[in-house]
C-alpha cells in the first residue's frame, strides 16, 4: 500500500503540481505496526512520512479523527491501509473536488463502490454480507444520508476547511463513524460529491459480520437519538 501510494505521489505529473505528507496511524495495535511503518518510512528519506502510535485502541473512527486533526495539508485523504482501494483513483476525487471547491472551500469527495454492485467484487461476497449491506442502506435512508449510495468506503477526500469543521465534533469511534461524518457535513451545509472508484476484497478483515452489524445498528440509533434531542450538535466554526 505504501509503495503504491508513494509511486503515485512521486510520479512526475503529480510531483510537479503538489506536495504531500503521509500520516500512518497505529490504533494501539500489538503487532509491531509502528515499528514496521518506521522501517518502511526510512526507505523513503525524501518523503514526508509521519507515524502516529496511539497508546490505546480508540477504534477506526478515533484513529481517523486523530490523523485528520493532525494533518497539515490543504486537502486531506482518509484511506484504509489494506490496499483495497486503488490509490491512483485519488485523481478522480481530486478532479471532482476542483469542481465543487475550486478555492478549497469546505467540501467532501467520497469514493464509491456503488457501481460495483452487480460485479464479481460484490456478487461473490457471502449472502449474509450482502443482506446486511442492503439492510444498512435501508437504515441509512431513514437516518438521513440515503442520497449517498456508499457511505462506508475507506477512501474520502476533505478540504482542510471541511475537516476542521467536521472532525472536532465527531463522537463515534466505531465502524459506523463514516455515517456521522456525512451527517455532520449535511448539517453544516458542506457539499458532498460521490465519485466511483475501483475496489477489491482483501482477505484478513477483522470485521465480524453479525456482531459488528449489530454494533453499527446500535451506534446509528445512539447517533440519531443524540442529534434529535440536541446533545450532539454540529456548530459552524
Amino acid at each position: 500500500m505504501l509503495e503504491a501510494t508513494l509511486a503515485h505521489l512521486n510520479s512526475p505529473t503529480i510531483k510537479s503540481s503538489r506536495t504531500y505528507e503521509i500520516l500512518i496511524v497505529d490504533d494501539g495495535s500489538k503487532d509491531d505496526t509502528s515499528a514496521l511503518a518506521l522501517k518502511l518510512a526510512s526507505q523513503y528519506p525524501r518523503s514526508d512520512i509521519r507515524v502516529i502510535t496511539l497508546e490505546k485502541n480508540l477504534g477506526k473512527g478515533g484513529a481517523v479523527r486523530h490523523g485528520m486533526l493532525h494533518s497539515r495539508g490543504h486537502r486531506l485523504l482518509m484511506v484504509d491501509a489494506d490496499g483495497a482501494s486503488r490509490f491512483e483513483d485519488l485523481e478522480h476525487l481530486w478532479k471532482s473536488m476542483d469542481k465543487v471547491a475550486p478555492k478549497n472551500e469546505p467540501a467532501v469527495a467520497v469514493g464509491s463502490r456503488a457501481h460495483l454492485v452487480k460485479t464479481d467484487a460484490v456478487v461473490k461476497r457471502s449472502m449474509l454480507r450482502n443482506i446486511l449491506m442492503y439492510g444498512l442502506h435501508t437504515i441509512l435512508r431513514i437516518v438521513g444520508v440515503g442520497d449517498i449510495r456508499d457511505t462506508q468506503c475507506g477512501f474520502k477526500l476533505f478540504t482542510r476547511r471541511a475537516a476542521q469543521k467536521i472532525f472536532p465534533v465527531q463522537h463515534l469511534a466505531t465502524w459506523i463513524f463514516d455515517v456521522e461524518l456525512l451527517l455532520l457535513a449535511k448539517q453544516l451545509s458542506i457539499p458532498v460529491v460521490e465519485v466511483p472508484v475501483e475496489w477489491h476484497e482483501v482477505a484478513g478483515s477483522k470485521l465480524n459480520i453479525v456482531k459488528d452489524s449489530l454494533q453499527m445498528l446500535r451506534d446509528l440509533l445512539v447517533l440519531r437519538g443524540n442529534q434529535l434531542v440536541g446533545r450532539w450538535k454540529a456548530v459552524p466554526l
Side-chain angles (χ1 to χ4, degrees):
M1 173 61 185
L2 184 61
E3 289 175 357
T5 298
L6 288 167
H8 179 71
L9 295 175
N10 288 328
S11 63
T13 303
I14 302 302
K15 196 172 183 179
S16 65
S17 61
R18 71 180 78 129
T19 58
Y20 67 87
E21 68 170 359
I22 296 175
L23 270 67
I24 301 172
V25 183
D26 176 357
D27 188 21
S29 69
K30 298 178 181 179
D31 59 0
D32 293 326
T33 292
S34 292
L36 176 60
L38 288 168
K39 181 179 179 181
L40 290 172
S42 68
Q43 299 174 17
Y44 302 94
R46 295 185 179 181
S47 296
D48 188 357
I49 303 174
R50 293 190 286 155
V51 179
I52 300 173
T53 306
L54 303 182
E55 290 187 356
K56 63 179 181 178
N57 181 271
L58 297 179
K60 182 180 178 180
V64 170
R65 181 179 187 271
H66 189 95
M68 285 294 186
L69 292 177
H70 289 82
S71 298
R72 299 173 293 190
H74 292 298
R75 293 181 178 178
L76 315 178
L77 177 69
M78 161 194 131
V79 56
D80 291 344
D82 60 2
S85 299
R86 196 173 71 112
F87 192 83
E88 292 87 343
D89 286 346
L90 166 63
E91 300 315 308
H92 298 320
L93 272 64
W94 200 276
K95 289 178 181 177
S96 294
M97 188 69 85
D98 283 341
K99 294 177 181 178
V100 71
K103 296 182 180 179
N104 283 327
E105 304 93 331
V108 184
V110 301
S112 175
R113 302 160 295 183
H115 64 294
L116 300 173
V117 168
K118 295 184 179 181
T119 67
D120 286 348
V122 173
V123 172
K124 289 185 178 180
R125 295 198 304 193
S126 69
M127 181 180 294
L128 176 59
R129 193 177 182 114
N130 283 325
I131 290 173
L132 292 172
M133 178 185 71
Y134 288 115
L136 174 63
H137 291 170
T138 300
I139 295 171
L140 292 178
R141 283 194 290 272
I142 298 172
V143 170
V145 289
D147 52 323
I148 302 297
R149 297 177 64 197
D150 183 3
T151 61
Q152 301 307 112
C153 183
F155 201 70
K156 295 180 173 67
L157 182 66
F158 300 77
T159 61
R160 182 172 188 81
R161 291 169 63 184
Q164 289 178 332
K165 290 175 179 288
I166 293 172
F167 286 97
V169 290
Q170 173 198 341
H171 288 85
L172 296 180
T174 50
W175 294 100
I176 205 68
F177 79 99
D178 300 78
V179 174
E180 183 181 14
L181 299 182
L182 297 174
L183 271 174
L184 289 170
K186 186 173 184 179
Q187 293 170 359
L188 292 166
S189 299
I190 295 174
V192 178
V193 58
E194 194 168 8
V195 184
V197 296
E198 293 302 316
W199 177 88
H200 66 278
E201 189 92 39
V202 175
S205 172
K206 295 181 180 179
L207 185 69
N208 182 301
I209 299 298
V210 176
K211 178 183 175 182
D212 290 314
S213 293
L214 291 173
Q215 183 186 57
M216 287 179 181
L217 176 58
R218 182 202 67 186
D219 290 344
L220 279 172
L221 294 175
V222 170
L223 169 63
R224 201 57 178 149
N226 277 289
Q227 288 184 337
L228 288 173
V229 300
R231 289 184 62 196
W232 292 358
K233 294 181 179 179
V235 182
L237 299 176

